[in-house]
Amino acid sequence: MDKNMTDLARRNFFGKAAAAAGLAVAPGVMLYEVQARPADQAASSKVRWGMLIDTTKCNDCNECVTACQTENGWGAGSDNEQKSSDRQKAQWIRKVKLTDKQTGHVQSLPLMCQHCETPPCVDVCPTGASMKRADGIVLVDKHICIGCRYCMMACPYKARSFIHEDLHNQKVVAPRGKGTVESCTMCVHRVDKDGTPACVEACTKADRNAMVFGDLNDPNSTISMRLKEFGGEQIRADLGLNTGVRYQGL
Amino acid sequence: MLLRQLSKRILVTAGLLMVLPFSINADEQAGPVEVPKARAKATQEFGCVAPVEEMRKSHMQKLLHKRDKTLREGVRTKDISLAECIDCHVTKDEKTGAMPSFGDDKHFCSSCHNYAAVKVDCFQCHNDKPENQNYKHSLTDNPLKAHHKDLALNVEASKKSLNKETLDVVTSGGSK
Amino acid sequence: MKNVQYLEIEGNSKGYLALLGFLGLIILGALGAFYYMEHNGHWVSNMDNQIVWGTPHVFAVFLIVAASGALNVASISSVFNKTAYKPLAPLSGLLALALLAGGLMVLVLDLGHPDRLIVAMTYYNFKSIFAWNIILYNGFFAIVAVYLWMTMDRTMAKYKKAAGITAFLWRIILTTGTGSIFGFLVARQGYDAAIMAPMFIIMSFSFGLAIFMLVLMASYNWTGRPLGDALVKRLKNLLGVFVAAVLYFVMAYHLTNLYATEHHGVEAFILRDGGVYTQLFWFGQIIMGSLVPLALLYGPTGSNRKMIGLASVLIILGGLIQMYIIIIGGQAYPLEMFPGKEVSSSFFDGIVNVYSPSAPEFFLGLGGIGVALIAVALGVKVLKFLPTSLADEDVDPHHK
């Protein structure tokens, strides 16, 4: 009997010790997944950033658009572009309303640069200003953009905008200027500091939870696991662009 | 003999007249440009990017190289970050208290670029002023308490002890 | 056949100076329009984020396409050995260079950052057909200049054929590249078609020759030099063939699209429901730009130079309209992102985009034509581009 009690005590002790050890190690295990890239290290193709949007949760909400405007300083997020007509004003992201002609079913979804794996905009840019970073984020290098707007002709999602007038007071994180083309950067300035895009953050804050951001190359990331379970369609999938932005409920 | 004296006098006067314009450099400015002072002065201990002469000569090369590293590769060190340069160097006009825009002689970059007539188009896209323009220079407050968490000159974050030169700078707020 | 003599035009008549003055005014207008757009930004134009390329591009692409076609006459003589066209080769080369210069000027001046032209010439993305076009256009200048040298300098006559073949091949590649600017775009219903490249080639034949005919007849008429009917007849018959060929390609393009349900939307837009675009297509491009000129060229009016001139003008106008429909009509029709759905958004998705040419755009585009014509007008005065006589007995190898 005594031996049994001792054994039990020993077992208890080991159990607790193991739990304690596990608890000590666990943060390290979880942190490993979201370890921030040091500032002096370049982006790598080991990671591929992507977004998954559940369109069934979107409805008439506009949080993502407002957040992007505030973060990046366009539209209602700045007092710029006063001279441009509504059709000339830049839009990095917009809500699109779909009504099925046959069934009458109504959907709503946010549409921004889809960060394709084989972006047509990158293919057509004569100077290479339209580029895809190693980690999959598609950007415009406005230093060498000559403003020819060929990328705007080529984009299947009409994601790009041209700046039609002088700008001032730009956000430090989002330089933008007359005569160059721009589009959603997936908040690359946030992503590089281990953050999430403003639209995703706003959607989560507003408790709608329609948008997920993460590493598509990591099979254990939230986005990858959700994609595996619920699937994620591309807009204009037939073009074979393998977009980084995927949609549920299309 | 008279001619010799006269020509000597002419030569001396001409010489003096030729030197006179250079008296404009009598104060310690490097040239005819009045470059606005930065918000904080670099010291031996918390050095800034590079010595002044090197920066004057090659700041564009450094910026052109770094912009590709930041944009195309995602390297965001504060080393030659344009935003960091502007944060420190673009300051309110001492007399008027207004924050100058690029193009104004009181703006750090255009103070030289206007004089040299070298056009740069950085500020067509980049903001030419520090993000926090209401930064107030207080006598009691540590003027180097930056809104950037990891600015090297943030004295409070650093637990090191300071050398005298740095101490002078941080208590005087960078002014002479 | 007698030896053809080339001579500069006198170029000191009131009419000539008036022409230079008029073209100079057009160019000034274009420069003013450019300054206005570049200084203020494109908000002063009617181009926006939906209609991205506007009237300047219509003019520019038209001129560039016509430029390569204008070299046709020279190619026919040097590559295909039709001796009757040999005296026309220098003018053909000059016109080709002039039209290309005019077109490129408009294209460059419309850029968002024309000050970065040097960037465009030093940073190349070789997957971009645009980047290839920059190389092809610059190369065209060099190659045609060399070809003109070989043609006009008797001591270099033995290299003329090689230069001519090079120029011919280069311009085929160039125009293929220009057509592919649109043909390579998967995004839009009106583009993404392999036929765009060969269609642009045949369009270049038609527009280039029409402009050449006008320039030829005008310069001989206004300088009082003889231009024989035999040559004019050959050229106008060739022009008619090219117009008919363009009509064939247009038909092939639309018939193919009409067969695929997927493309019914854009076809209905161009052919029936597109308002101004439909009217421009049927009345402008087909009737005025193709059918009427064919009748004028091959009908009883075919020997009347005034009617031939009119046909050429109609072909040019029809060509500009065709470019307008391709470039602007192609953008006006919305992107097909969600088939079977009605789409609406704050960014003008799902609707036909509105556009009308604005004054600065129009004057900038017109300036391209001004530059091209003034280059020809000055060229024929400065160098020996024009034969002293193109009368039948002087050029026609079969004339008795």
mmCIF file of all heavy atoms in Angstrom, chain C residues 72-93:
data_model
loop_
_atom_site.group_PDB
_atom_site.id
_atom_site.type_symbol
_atom_site.label_atom_id
_atom_site.label_comp_id
_atom_site.label_asym_id
_atom_site.label_seq_id
_atom_site.Cartn_x
_atom_site.Cartn_y
_atom_site.Cartn_z
ATOM 1 N N ASN C 72 5.873 50.439 -96.591
ATOM 2 C CA ASN C 72 5.498 49.381 -97.532
ATOM 3 C C ASN C 72 5.985 49.625 -98.937
ATOM 4 O O ASN C 72 6.518 48.734 -99.593
ATOM 5 C CB ASN C 72 3.967 49.275 -97.578
ATOM 6 C CG ASN C 72 3.518 47.933 -97.117
ATOM 7 O OD1 ASN C 72 4.326 47.075 -96.818
ATOM 8 N ND2 ASN C 72 2.221 47.745 -97.072
ATOM 9 N N VAL C 73 5.769 50.862 -99.414
ATOM 10 C CA VAL C 73 6.120 51.159 -100.807
ATOM 11 C C VAL C 73 7.615 50.910 -101.015
ATOM 12 O O VAL C 73 8.029 50.319 -102.033
ATOM 13 C CB VAL C 73 5.749 52.624 -101.135
ATOM 14 C CG1 VAL C 73 6.282 53.011 -102.482
ATOM 15 C CG2 VAL C 73 4.244 52.783 -101.092
ATOM 16 N N ALA C 74 8.422 51.334 -100.068
ATOM 17 C CA ALA C 74 9.861 51.105 -100.182
ATOM 18 C C ALA C 74 10.165 49.615 -100.143
ATOM 19 O O ALA C 74 11.011 49.118 -100.892
ATOM 20 C CB ALA C 74 10.587 51.828 -99.053
ATOM 21 N N SER C 75 9.457 48.895 -99.274
ATOM 22 C CA SER C 75 9.697 47.453 -99.162
ATOM 23 C C SER C 75 9.329 46.747 -100.459
ATOM 24 O O SER C 75 10.023 45.837 -100.897
ATOM 25 C CB SER C 75 8.877 46.850 -98.018
ATOM 26 O OG SER C 75 9.180 47.477 -96.820
ATOM 27 N N ILE C 76 8.226 47.185 -101.072
ATOM 28 C CA ILE C 76 7.808 46.530 -102.325
ATOM 29 C C ILE C 76 8.892 46.696 -103.379
ATOM 30 O O ILE C 76 9.161 45.802 -104.179
ATOM 31 C CB ILE C 76 6.467 47.110 -102.815
ATOM 32 C CG1 ILE C 76 5.350 46.753 -101.826
ATOM 33 C CG2 ILE C 76 6.125 46.577 -104.203
ATOM 34 C CD1 ILE C 76 4.033 47.392 -102.163
ATOM 35 N N SER C 77 9.543 47.839 -103.375
ATOM 36 C CA SER C 77 10.574 48.043 -104.389
ATOM 37 C C SER C 77 11.850 47.310 -104.047
ATOM 38 O O SER C 77 12.449 46.648 -104.889
ATOM 39 C CB SER C 77 10.842 49.540 -104.554
ATOM 40 O OG SER C 77 11.572 50.022 -103.450
ATOM 41 N N SER C 78 12.264 47.374 -102.773
ATOM 42 C CA SER C 78 13.565 46.798 -102.422
ATOM 43 C C SER C 78 13.512 45.310 -102.156
ATOM 44 O O SER C 78 14.457 44.592 -102.423
ATOM 45 C CB SER C 78 14.129 47.494 -101.181
ATOM 46 O OG SER C 78 14.272 48.852 -101.421
ATOM 47 N N VAL C 79 12.406 44.855 -101.593
ATOM 48 C CA VAL C 79 12.338 43.443 -101.211
ATOM 49 C C VAL C 79 11.679 42.618 -102.296
ATOM 50 O O VAL C 79 12.113 41.514 -102.614
ATOM 51 C CB VAL C 79 11.569 43.280 -99.872
ATOM 52 C CG1 VAL C 79 11.416 41.828 -99.499
ATOM 53 C CG2 VAL C 79 12.256 44.061 -98.775
ATOM 54 N N PHE C 80 10.627 43.174 -102.872
ATOM 55 C CA PHE C 80 9.869 42.418 -103.876
ATOM 56 C C PHE C 80 10.186 42.864 -105.301
ATOM 57 O O PHE C 80 9.536 42.417 -106.244
ATOM 58 C CB PHE C 80 8.369 42.527 -103.573
ATOM 59 C CG PHE C 80 8.015 42.008 -102.211
ATOM 60 C CD1 PHE C 80 7.714 42.880 -101.166
ATOM 61 C CD2 PHE C 80 8.023 40.639 -101.946
ATOM 62 C CE1 PHE C 80 7.404 42.394 -99.905
ATOM 63 C CE2 PHE C 80 7.713 40.154 -100.689
ATOM 64 C CZ PHE C 80 7.404 41.039 -99.661
ATOM 65 N N ASN C 81 11.164 43.732 -105.437
ATOM 66 C CA ASN C 81 11.729 44.088 -106.740
ATOM 67 C C ASN C 81 10.747 44.629 -107.755
ATOM 68 O O ASN C 81 10.880 44.372 -108.947
ATOM 69 C CB ASN C 81 12.442 42.868 -107.356
ATOM 70 C CG ASN C 81 13.669 42.508 -106.547
ATOM 71 O OD1 ASN C 81 14.388 43.390 -106.090
ATOM 72 N ND2 ASN C 81 13.880 41.225 -106.343
ATOM 73 N N LYS C 82 9.731 45.391 -107.283
ATOM 74 C CA LYS C 82 8.844 46.031 -108.255
ATOM 75 C C LYS C 82 9.474 47.359 -108.637
ATOM 76 O O LYS C 82 9.409 48.337 -107.893
ATOM 77 C CB LYS C 82 7.451 46.266 -107.638
ATOM 78 C CG LYS C 82 6.744 44.981 -107.269
ATOM 79 C CD LYS C 82 6.221 44.256 -108.488
ATOM 80 C CE LYS C 82 5.568 42.950 -108.062
ATOM 81 N NZ LYS C 82 5.609 41.927 -109.105
ATOM 82 N N THR C 83 10.104 47.397 -109.806
ATOM 83 C CA THR C 83 10.906 48.567 -110.161
ATOM 84 C C THR C 83 10.079 49.838 -110.248
ATOM 85 O O THR C 83 10.606 50.933 -110.070
ATOM 86 C CB THR C 83 11.606 48.347 -111.511
ATOM 87 O OG1 THR C 83 10.642 47.841 -112.441
ATOM 88 C CG2 THR C 83 12.729 47.349 -111.374
ATOM 89 N N ALA C 84 8.800 49.697 -110.555
ATOM 90 C CA ALA C 84 7.982 50.904 -110.692
ATOM 91 C C ALA C 84 7.958 51.717 -109.409
ATOM 92 O O ALA C 84 7.798 52.937 -109.429
ATOM 93 C CB ALA C 84 6.555 50.534 -111.082
ATOM 94 N N TYR C 85 8.107 51.040 -108.282
ATOM 95 C CA TYR C 85 8.017 51.759 -107.003
ATOM 96 C C TYR C 85 9.356 52.291 -106.527
ATOM 97 O O TYR C 85 9.437 52.995 -105.532
ATOM 98 C CB TYR C 85 7.442 50.827 -105.925
ATOM 99 C CG TYR C 85 5.994 50.473 -106.128
ATOM 100 C CD1 TYR C 85 5.605 49.161 -106.420
ATOM 101 C CD2 TYR C 85 5.001 51.433 -106.030
ATOM 102 C CE1 TYR C 85 4.280 48.829 -106.600
ATOM 103 C CE2 TYR C 85 3.669 51.106 -106.218
ATOM 104 C CZ TYR C 85 3.321 49.803 -106.498
ATOM 105 O OH TYR C 85 1.997 49.480 -106.687
ATOM 106 N N LYS C 86 10.431 51.961 -107.244
ATOM 107 C CA LYS C 86 11.751 52.355 -106.741
ATOM 108 C C LYS C 86 11.891 53.853 -106.517
ATOM 109 O O LYS C 86 12.458 54.271 -105.512
ATOM 110 C CB LYS C 86 12.841 51.869 -107.712
ATOM 111 C CG LYS C 86 13.284 50.442 -107.441
ATOM 112 C CD LYS C 86 14.672 50.151 -108.036
ATOM 113 C CE LYS C 86 15.323 48.939 -107.406
ATOM 114 N NZ LYS C 86 14.772 47.644 -107.797
ATOM 115 N N PRO C 87 11.382 54.702 -107.456
ATOM 116 C CA PRO C 87 11.553 56.146 -107.207
ATOM 117 C C PRO C 87 10.819 56.632 -105.955
ATOM 118 O O PRO C 87 11.112 57.715 -105.445
ATOM 119 C CB PRO C 87 10.948 56.795 -108.458
ATOM 120 C CG PRO C 87 10.862 55.713 -109.462
ATOM 121 C CD PRO C 87 10.715 54.437 -108.742
ATOM 122 N N LEU C 88 9.870 55.849 -105.478
ATOM 123 C CA LEU C 88 9.080 56.294 -104.326
ATOM 124 C C LEU C 88 9.711 55.878 -103.004
ATOM 125 O O LEU C 88 9.245 56.297 -101.941
ATOM 126 C CB LEU C 88 7.665 55.700 -104.395
ATOM 127 C CG LEU C 88 6.860 56.056 -105.648
ATOM 128 C CD1 LEU C 88 5.565 55.277 -105.673
ATOM 129 C CD2 LEU C 88 6.581 57.548 -105.684
ATOM 130 N N ALA C 89 10.749 55.069 -103.066
ATOM 131 C CA ALA C 89 11.318 54.510 -101.832
ATOM 132 C C ALA C 89 11.806 55.576 -100.842
ATOM 133 O O ALA C 89 11.514 55.488 -99.648
ATOM 134 C CB ALA C 89 12.435 53.526 -102.168
ATOM 135 N N PRO C 90 12.532 56.611 -101.287
ATOM 136 C CA PRO C 90 13.012 57.596 -100.307
ATOM 137 C C PRO C 90 11.870 58.302 -99.579
ATOM 138 O O PRO C 90 11.917 58.460 -98.350
ATOM 139 C CB PRO C 90 13.816 58.586 -101.161
ATOM 140 C CG PRO C 90 14.226 57.818 -102.359
ATOM 141 C CD PRO C 90 13.114 56.876 -102.638
ATOM 142 N N LEU C 91 10.848 58.717 -100.333
ATOM 143 C CA LEU C 91 9.722 59.384 -99.682
ATOM 144 C C LEU C 91 9.041 58.450 -98.697
ATOM 145 O O LEU C 91 8.630 58.859 -97.610
ATOM 146 C CB LEU C 91 8.713 59.867 -100.745
ATOM 147 C CG LEU C 91 7.459 60.541 -100.195
ATOM 148 C CD1 LEU C 91 7.806 61.838 -99.472
ATOM 149 C CD2 LEU C 91 6.448 60.833 -101.314
ATOM 150 N N SER C 92 8.934 57.188 -99.097
ATOM 151 C CA SER C 92 8.298 56.200 -98.236
ATOM 152 C C SER C 92 9.050 56.077 -96.912
ATOM 153 O O SER C 92 8.462 56.068 -95.832
ATOM 154 C CB SER C 92 8.254 54.856 -98.980
ATOM 155 O OG SER C 92 7.938 53.816 -98.102
ATOM 156 N N GLY C 93 10.379 56.036 -97.004
ATOM 157 C CA GLY C 93 11.178 55.933 -95.779
ATOM 158 C C GLY C 93 11.028 57.164 -94.910
ATOM 159 O O GLY C 93 10.889 57.087 -93.687
#
